[in-house]
PDB file of all heavy atoms in Angstrom:
ATOM      1  N   TYR V1150      25.637  -6.663  -9.668  1.00  0.00           N
ATOM      2  CA  TYR V1150      24.465  -7.448  -9.222  1.00  0.00           C
ATOM      3  C   TYR V1150      23.147  -6.581  -9.511  1.00  0.00           C
ATOM      4  O   TYR V1150      23.138  -5.356  -9.305  1.00  0.00           O
ATOM      5  CB  TYR V1150      24.577  -7.774  -7.775  1.00  0.00           C
ATOM      6  CG  TYR V1150      25.609  -8.791  -7.323  1.00  0.00           C
ATOM      7  CD1 TYR V1150      26.899  -8.362  -7.138  1.00  0.00           C
ATOM      8  CD2 TYR V1150      25.263 -10.122  -7.318  1.00  0.00           C
ATOM      9  CE1 TYR V1150      27.848  -9.329  -6.807  1.00  0.00           C
ATOM     10  CE2 TYR V1150      26.263 -11.021  -6.920  1.00  0.00           C
ATOM     11  CZ  TYR V1150      27.501 -10.654  -6.577  1.00  0.00           C
ATOM     12  OH  TYR V1150      28.435 -11.505  -6.327  1.00  0.00           O
ATOM     13  N   ARG V1151      22.125  -7.440  -9.732  1.00  0.00           N
ATOM     14  CA  ARG V1151      20.803  -6.770  -9.841  1.00  0.00           C
ATOM     15  C   ARG V1151      19.984  -7.409  -8.538  1.00  0.00           C
ATOM     16  O   ARG V1151      20.011  -8.492  -8.362  1.00  0.00           O
ATOM     17  CB  ARG V1151      20.147  -7.279 -11.204  1.00  0.00           C
ATOM     18  CG  ARG V1151      18.709  -6.762 -11.325  1.00  0.00           C
ATOM     19  CD  ARG V1151      18.205  -7.225 -12.744  1.00  0.00           C
ATOM     20  NE  ARG V1151      16.930  -6.806 -12.917  1.00  0.00           N
ATOM     21  CZ  ARG V1151      15.856  -7.448 -12.614  1.00  0.00           C
ATOM     22  NH1 ARG V1151      16.020  -8.622 -11.968  1.00  0.00           N
ATOM     23  NH2 ARG V1151      14.667  -7.110 -12.875  1.00  0.00           N
ATOM     24  N   TRP V1152      19.399  -6.435  -7.912  1.00  0.00           N
ATOM     25  CA  TRP V1152      18.767  -6.787  -6.601  1.00  0.00           C
ATOM     26  C   TRP V1152      17.328  -6.311  -6.564  1.00  0.00           C
ATOM     27  O   TRP V1152      17.123  -5.123  -6.379  1.00  0.00           O
ATOM     28  CB  TRP V1152      19.582  -6.275  -5.415  1.00  0.00           C
ATOM     29  CG  TRP V1152      19.304  -6.881  -4.165  1.00  0.00           C
ATOM     30  CD1 TRP V1152      18.408  -7.971  -3.869  1.00  0.00           C
ATOM     31  CD2 TRP V1152      19.776  -6.555  -2.887  1.00  0.00           C
ATOM     32  NE1 TRP V1152      18.349  -8.250  -2.491  1.00  0.00           N
ATOM     33  CE2 TRP V1152      19.254  -7.438  -1.929  1.00  0.00           C
ATOM     34  CE3 TRP V1152      20.617  -5.556  -2.412  1.00  0.00           C
ATOM     35  CZ2 TRP V1152      19.560  -7.250  -0.519  1.00  0.00           C
ATOM     36  CZ3 TRP V1152      20.944  -5.498  -1.104  1.00  0.00           C
ATOM     37  CH2 TRP V1152      20.384  -6.318  -0.212  1.00  0.00           C
ATOM     38  N   GLU V1153      16.404  -7.294  -6.671  1.00  0.00           N
ATOM     39  CA  GLU V1153      14.963  -6.887  -6.402  1.00  0.00           C
ATOM     40  C   GLU V1153      14.575  -7.071  -4.970  1.00  0.00           C
ATOM     41  O   GLU V1153      15.071  -8.070  -4.269  1.00  0.00           O
ATOM     42  CB  GLU V1153      14.108  -7.805  -7.327  1.00  0.00           C
ATOM     43  CG  GLU V1153      14.195  -7.549  -8.789  1.00  0.00           C
ATOM     44  CD  GLU V1153      13.318  -8.451  -9.636  1.00  0.00           C
ATOM     45  OE1 GLU V1153      12.097  -8.156  -9.534  1.00  0.00           O
ATOM     46  OE2 GLU V1153      13.743  -9.369 -10.174  1.00  0.00           O
ATOM     47  N   THR V1154      13.631  -6.286  -4.519  1.00  0.00           N
ATOM     48  CA  THR V1154      13.256  -6.355  -3.205  1.00  0.00           C
ATOM     49  C   THR V1154      12.774  -7.843  -2.802  1.00  0.00           C
ATOM     50  O   THR V1154      12.068  -8.417  -3.610  1.00  0.00           O
ATOM     51  CB  THR V1154      12.003  -5.373  -2.946  1.00  0.00           C
ATOM     52  OG1 THR V1154      12.526  -4.082  -3.420  1.00  0.00           O
ATOM     53  CG2 THR V1154      11.543  -5.387  -1.555  1.00  0.00           C
ATOM     54  N   ALA V1155      13.150  -8.278  -1.706  1.00  0.00           N
ATOM     55  CA  ALA V1155      12.788  -9.548  -1.108  1.00  0.00           C
ATOM     56  C   ALA V1155      13.410 -10.745  -1.844  1.00  0.00           C
ATOM     57  O   ALA V1155      12.943 -11.862  -1.605  1.00  0.00           O
ATOM     58  CB  ALA V1155      11.256  -9.759  -0.937  1.00  0.00           C
ATOM     59  N   LYS V1156      14.313 -10.453  -2.768  1.00  0.00           N
ATOM     60  CA  LYS V1156      14.956 -11.519  -3.454  1.00  0.00           C
ATOM     61  C   LYS V1156      16.456 -11.510  -3.160  1.00  0.00           C
ATOM     62  O   LYS V1156      16.943 -10.554  -2.504  1.00  0.00           O
ATOM     63  CB  LYS V1156      14.718 -11.376  -4.959  1.00  0.00           C
ATOM     64  CG  LYS V1156      13.195 -11.687  -5.299  1.00  0.00           C
ATOM     65  CD  LYS V1156      13.078 -11.604  -6.828  1.00  0.00           C
ATOM     66  CE  LYS V1156      11.606 -11.950  -7.213  1.00  0.00           C
ATOM     67  NZ  LYS V1156      11.414 -11.924  -8.672  1.00  0.00           N
ATOM     68  N   SER V1157      17.202 -12.473  -3.722  1.00  0.00           N
ATOM     69  CA  SER V1157      18.681 -12.447  -3.567  1.00  0.00           C
ATOM     70  C   SER V1157      19.249 -11.647  -4.670  1.00  0.00           C
ATOM     71  O   SER V1157      18.747 -11.534  -5.768  1.00  0.00           O
ATOM     72  CB  SER V1157      19.114 -13.963  -3.726  1.00  0.00           C
ATOM     73  OG  SER V1157      18.520 -14.811  -2.798  1.00  0.00           O
ATOM     74  N   PRO V1158      20.318 -10.915  -4.379  1.00  0.00           N
ATOM     75  CA  PRO V1158      21.066 -10.270  -5.509  1.00  0.00           C
ATOM     76  C   PRO V1158      21.474 -11.274  -6.543  1.00  0.00           C
ATOM     77  O   PRO V1158      21.966 -12.365  -6.202  1.00  0.00           O
ATOM     78  CB  PRO V1158      22.414  -9.744  -4.747  1.00  0.00           C
ATOM     79  CG  PRO V1158      21.890  -9.640  -3.325  1.00  0.00           C
ATOM     80  CD  PRO V1158      20.986 -10.714  -3.090  1.00  0.00           C
ATOM     81  N   GLU V1159      21.227 -10.907  -7.801  1.00  0.00           N
ATOM     82  CA  GLU V1159      21.429 -11.799  -8.884  1.00  0.00           C
ATOM     83  C   GLU V1159      22.744 -11.216  -9.650  1.00  0.00           C
ATOM     84  O   GLU V1159      22.797 -10.031 -10.047  1.00  0.00           O
ATOM     85  CB  GLU V1159      20.283 -11.793  -9.871  1.00  0.00           C
ATOM     86  CG  GLU V1159      20.534 -12.474 -11.173  1.00  0.00           C
ATOM     87  CD  GLU V1159      19.518 -12.002 -12.205  1.00  0.00           C
ATOM     88  OE1 GLU V1159      18.519 -11.244 -11.809  1.00  0.00           O
ATOM     89  OE2 GLU V1159      19.642 -12.375 -13.419  1.00  0.00           O
ATOM     90  N   ALA V1160      23.786 -12.081  -9.760  1.00  0.00           N
ATOM     91  CA  ALA V1160      24.897 -11.644 -10.512  1.00  0.00           C
ATOM     92  C   ALA V1160      24.690 -11.520 -11.912  1.00  0.00           C
ATOM     93  O   ALA V1160      23.945 -12.217 -12.763  1.00  0.00           O
ATOM     94  CB  ALA V1160      25.966 -12.812 -10.331  1.00  0.00           C
ATOM     95  N   LEU V1161      25.150 -10.221 -12.304  1.00  0.00           N
ATOM     96  CA  LEU V1161      24.959  -9.872 -13.821  1.00  0.00           C
ATOM     97  C   LEU V1161      26.301 -10.101 -14.565  1.00  0.00           C
ATOM     98  O   LEU V1161      26.344 -10.716 -15.537  1.00  0.00           O
ATOM     99  CB  LEU V1161      24.618  -8.343 -13.867  1.00  0.00           C
ATOM    100  CG  LEU V1161      23.123  -7.926 -13.474  1.00  0.00           C
ATOM    101  CD1 LEU V1161      22.942  -6.513 -13.519  1.00  0.00           C
ATOM    102  CD2 LEU V1161      22.116  -8.707 -14.369  1.00  0.00           C
ATOM    103  N   PHE V1162      27.287  -9.569 -13.961  1.00  0.00           N
ATOM    104  CA  PHE V1162      28.623  -9.590 -14.650  1.00  0.00           C
ATOM    105  C   PHE V1162      29.728  -9.665 -13.667  1.00  0.00           C
ATOM    106  O   PHE V1162      29.646  -9.089 -12.585  1.00  0.00           O
ATOM    107  CB  PHE V1162      28.901  -8.250 -15.626  1.00  0.00           C
ATOM    108  CG  PHE V1162      27.832  -7.970 -16.595  1.00  0.00           C
ATOM    109  CD1 PHE V1162      27.008  -6.967 -16.437  1.00  0.00           C
ATOM    110  CD2 PHE V1162      27.726  -8.906 -17.667  1.00  0.00           C
ATOM    111  CE1 PHE V1162      26.045  -6.588 -17.353  1.00  0.00           C
ATOM    112  CE2 PHE V1162      26.717  -8.558 -18.578  1.00  0.00           C
ATOM    113  CZ  PHE V1162      25.856  -7.408 -18.514  1.00  0.00           C
ATOM    114  N   VAL V1163      30.808 -10.297 -14.100  1.00  0.00           N
ATOM    115  CA  VAL V1163      32.103 -10.229 -13.318  1.00  0.00           C
ATOM    116  C   VAL V1163      33.163  -9.862 -14.357  1.00  0.00           C
ATOM    117  O   VAL V1163      33.240 -10.429 -15.489  1.00  0.00           O
ATOM    118  CB  VAL V1163      32.444 -11.590 -12.768  1.00  0.00           C
ATOM    119  CG1 VAL V1163      33.810 -11.494 -12.005  1.00  0.00           C
ATOM    120  CG2 VAL V1163      31.527 -12.021 -11.761  1.00  0.00           C
ATOM    121  N   MET V1164      33.847  -8.795 -14.108  1.00  0.00           N
ATOM    122  CA  MET V1164      34.816  -8.226 -15.126  1.00  0.00           C
ATOM    123  C   MET V1164      36.173  -8.103 -14.436  1.00  0.00           C
ATOM    124  O   MET V1164      36.314  -7.676 -13.262  1.00  0.00           O
ATOM    125  CB  MET V1164      34.262  -6.864 -15.579  1.00  0.00           C
ATOM    126  CG  MET V1164      32.832  -6.962 -15.999  1.00  0.00           C
ATOM    127  SD  MET V1164      32.137  -5.385 -16.465  1.00  0.00           S
ATOM    128  CE  MET V1164      32.897  -5.192 -18.118  1.00  0.00           C
ATOM    129  N   THR V1165      37.140  -8.415 -15.236  1.00  0.00           N
ATOM    130  CA  THR V1165      38.439  -8.385 -14.651  1.00  0.00           C
ATOM    131  C   THR V1165      39.481  -7.711 -15.516  1.00  0.00           C
ATOM    132  O   THR V1165      40.480  -7.049 -14.984  1.00  0.00           O
ATOM    133  CB  THR V1165      39.002  -9.853 -14.422  1.00  0.00           C
ATOM    134  OG1 THR V1165      38.994 -10.517 -15.722  1.00  0.00           O
ATOM    135  CG2 THR V1165      38.221 -10.564 -13.461  1.00  0.00           C
ATOM    136  N   LEU V1166      39.353  -7.607 -16.797  1.00  0.00           N
ATOM    137  CA  LEU V1166      40.317  -7.044 -17.663  1.00  0.00           C
ATOM    138  C   LEU V1166      40.032  -5.611 -18.040  1.00  0.00           C
ATOM    139  O   LEU V1166      38.766  -5.271 -18.430  1.00  0.00           O
ATOM    140  CB  LEU V1166      40.387  -7.890 -18.994  1.00  0.00           C
ATOM    141  CG  LEU V1166      40.748  -9.312 -18.742  1.00  0.00           C
ATOM    142  CD1 LEU V1166      40.784 -10.064 -20.099  1.00  0.00           C
ATOM    143  CD2 LEU V1166      42.198  -9.446 -18.115  1.00  0.00           C
TER     144      LEU V1166
END
Side-chain angles (χ1 to χ4, degrees):
Chain V
Y1150 287 87
R1151 179 175 177 276
W1152 194 7
E1153 290 182 72
T1154 304
K1156 295 186 178 180
S1157 305
E1159 171 198 354
L1161 289 174
F1162 304 111
V1163 178
M1164 308 174 79
T1165 57
L1166 299 176

